[in-house]
C-alpha cells in the first residue's frame, strides 16, 4: 500500500499529545524549536478495547525541528493491581492504582507548507507515523503483534493529510482531508478523515483564541475546540467523541531560544 511504502506516515492529534485537531490529523505544524508538554484525560472509547475498558490519562513531550519535523514521546496510563501501600484517607486500601503505562513514539513530516512556492492555492501537506514498533524487543509490527490485543501496538496508525485555510468576514475557516491507516483489528482506522475548523474573528485576542472543530477521524464523528491561551503559551482541548464521550487536555508550549 502507498502509505506503508512512505515509511513516514503518522497520526497527529491532540488526544495523542501531538499537533493536529482533536482525534483527527491535520497538516498544521508548530514553529521551529517549539517544545510541548501535553496532559490529557482520555475516555475509553478513544483507546483500544484490548488495552483499556476504563477512562485514563495520557501525557507526552514533543519538539519541532526546522518547522518541518515533529517528534513526540507519549505515555498512556494503565491501572495496576492492588498495592498494600495505596492507603486512602479513610484508612482503607484502594483495589487498584495507576502503576504502569504504555509508551510509544510518533513523528510528523511537513512536505509542503501552505502557500509554498508563492502559490496561494497550495495546501499544507503532511505525513507521519505513530507507534511504529512494538514488543519488549522493539521488533517490527506483524499481524499477531497488533490484532485482537495480542501485542501492545495500541497506537499504531499512519496518515497523509492536506490542510488549507481561508479568510472570511466571520473569521478563519480551515479544511483538512486525509487518509488514515493502521494494522490493528480491534480499533480500525482504514478510511478517509476530514475536518472543518472555524476561528471566529470576534473571539480572537492574545489571551484566548479558540478554534471550533467538526471532524470525522476515520472511525467516529467528533466535535470540540482547541483554544490558544496567553499568547499561545498554553493550549486547551475539549472533545465530544461521537458527540457523547468527553476527553479534554491542556498543553504547555515553549519556544526554545536560538530557534528561527
Amino acid at each position: 500500500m502507498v502509505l506503508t511504502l512512505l515509511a513516514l506516515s503518522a497520526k497527529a492529534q491532540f488526544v495523542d499529545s501531538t499537533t493536529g485537531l482533536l482525534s483527527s490529523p491535520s497538516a498544521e505544524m508548530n514553529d521551529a524549536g517549539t517544545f510541548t508538554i501535553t496532559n490529557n484525560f482520555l475516555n475509553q472509547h478513544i483507546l483500544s478495547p484490548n488495552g483499556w475498558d476504563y477512562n485514563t490519562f495520557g501525557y507526552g513531550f514533543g519538539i519541532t525541528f526546522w518547522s518541518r519535523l515533529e517528534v513526540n514521546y507519549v505515555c498512556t496510563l494503565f491501572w495496576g493491581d492492588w498495592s498494600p501501600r495505596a492507603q486512602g484517607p479513610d484508612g482503607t486500601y484502594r483495589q487498584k492504582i495507576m502503576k504502569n503505562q504504555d509508551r510509544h513514539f510518533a513523528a510528523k513530516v511537513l512536505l509542503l507548507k501552505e502557500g509554498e512556492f508563492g502559490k496561494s492555492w497550495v495546501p499544507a501537506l503532511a505525513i507521519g507515523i505513530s507507534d511504529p514498533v512494538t514488543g519488549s524487543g522493539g521488533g517490527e509490527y506483524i499481524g499477531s503483534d497488533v490484532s485482537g490485543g495480542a501485542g501492545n501496538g495500541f497506537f499504531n496508525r499512519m496518515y497523509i493529510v492536506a490542510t488549507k485555510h481561508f479568510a472570511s468576514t466571520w473569521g478563519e475557516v480551515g479544511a483538512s482531508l486525509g487518509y488514515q491507516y493502521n494494522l490493528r483489528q480491534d480499533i480500525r482506522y482504514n478510511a478517509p478523515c476530514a475536518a472543518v475548523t472555524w476561528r471566529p474573528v470576534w473571539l480572537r485576542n492574545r489571551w484566548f483564541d479558540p478554534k471550533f472543530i467538526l471532524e470525522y477521524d476515520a472511525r467516529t464523528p467528533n466535535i470540540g475546540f482547541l483554544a490558544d491561551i496567553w499568547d499561545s503559551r498554553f493550549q486547551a482541548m475539549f472533545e465530544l467523541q461521537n458527540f457523547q464521550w468527553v476527553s479534554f487536555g491542556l498543553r504547555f508550549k515553549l519556544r526554545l531560544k536560538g530557534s528561527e
Side-chain angles (χ1 to χ4, degrees):
M1 184 172 184
V2 172
L3 291 178
T4 304
L5 295 176
L6 284 174
L8 279 174
S9 301
K11 85 174 181 180
Q13 60 268 338
F14 203 106
V15 297
D16 194 38
S17 300
T18 60
T19 60
L21 301 175
L22 303 171
S23 296
S24 184
S26 79
E28 296 167 313
M29 186 78 76
N30 285 323
D31 293 334
T34 301
F35 175 73
T36 61
I37 304 173
T38 305
N39 295 275
N40 288 319
F41 169 82
L42 303 172
N43 84 77
Q44 67 183 71
H45 303 280
I46 282 179
L47 305 166
S48 163
N50 287 294
W52 295 266
D53 58 358
Y54 48 85
N55 302 330
T56 189
F57 296 89
Y59 63 96
F61 308 91
I63 189 167
T64 304
F65 301 94
W66 314 293
S67 69
R68 295 277 188 176
L69 171 65
E70 177 185 312
V71 179
N72 296 272
Y73 177 69
V74 186
C75 299
T76 308
L77 301 183
F78 285 116
W79 281 114
D81 296 326
W82 173 84
S83 170
R85 291 186 295 275
Q87 189 172 7
D90 58 355
T92 61
Y93 291 98
R94 293 194 296 261
Q95 291 184 344
K96 291 184 177 182
I97 61 172
M98 288 288 187
K99 61 178 293 186
N100 201 358
Q101 59 188 359
D102 175 82
R103 298 172 293 274
H104 71 275
F105 287 96
K108 178 180 179 181
V109 176
L110 186 64
L111 300 179
L112 281 176
K113 292 184 177 182
E114 193 167 346
E116 200 158 34
F117 309 119
K119 306 295 184 181
S120 61
W121 54 267
V122 173
L125 180 67
I127 56 175
I129 193 163
S130 178
D131 208 358
V133 296
T134 190
S136 59
E140 294 183 358
Y141 274 109
I142 59 175
S144 61
D145 288 329
V146 295
S147 62
N152 64 347
F154 302 112
F155 298 93
N156 174 247
R157 198 182 311 183
M158 296 170 277
Y159 77 72
I160 182 169
V161 63
T163 298
K164 188 78 176 70
H165 295 91
F166 306 90
S168 76
T169 56
W170 303 282
E172 182 185 79
V173 177
S176 294
L177 181 64
Y179 191 92
Q180 295 205 80
Y181 170 73
N182 72 351
L183 297 176
R184 291 195 71 87
Q185 301 298 317
D186 55 352
I187 181 168
R188 302 293 283 168
Y189 281 93
N190 300 343
C193 55
V196 176
T197 65
W198 174 46
R199 297 172 67 189
V201 64
W202 56 86
L203 291 180
R204 296 181 62 178
N205 59 74
R206 60 172 296 190
W207 301 106
F208 186 72
D209 185 3
K211 175 168 63 177
F212 298 94
I213 301 168
L214 177 63
E215 66 177 26
Y216 176 69
D217 65 9
R219 195 169 66 96
T220 60
N222 313 307
I223 192 170
F225 68 85
L226 299 176
D228 290 329
I229 302 170
W230 191 18
D231 290 329
S232 295
R233 288 181 173 89
F234 295 90
Q235 189 175 50
M237 180 274 292
F238 179 85
E239 175 184 3
L240 278 178
Q241 184 193 10
N242 207 30
F243 304 136
Q244 55 184 316
W245 302 309
V246 173
S247 293
F248 55 87
L250 182 66
R251 170 175 293 155
F252 171 68
K253 300 168 70 174
L254 174 67
R255 186 77 180 275
L256 301 179
K257 291 184 178 180
S259 57
E260 297 183 358

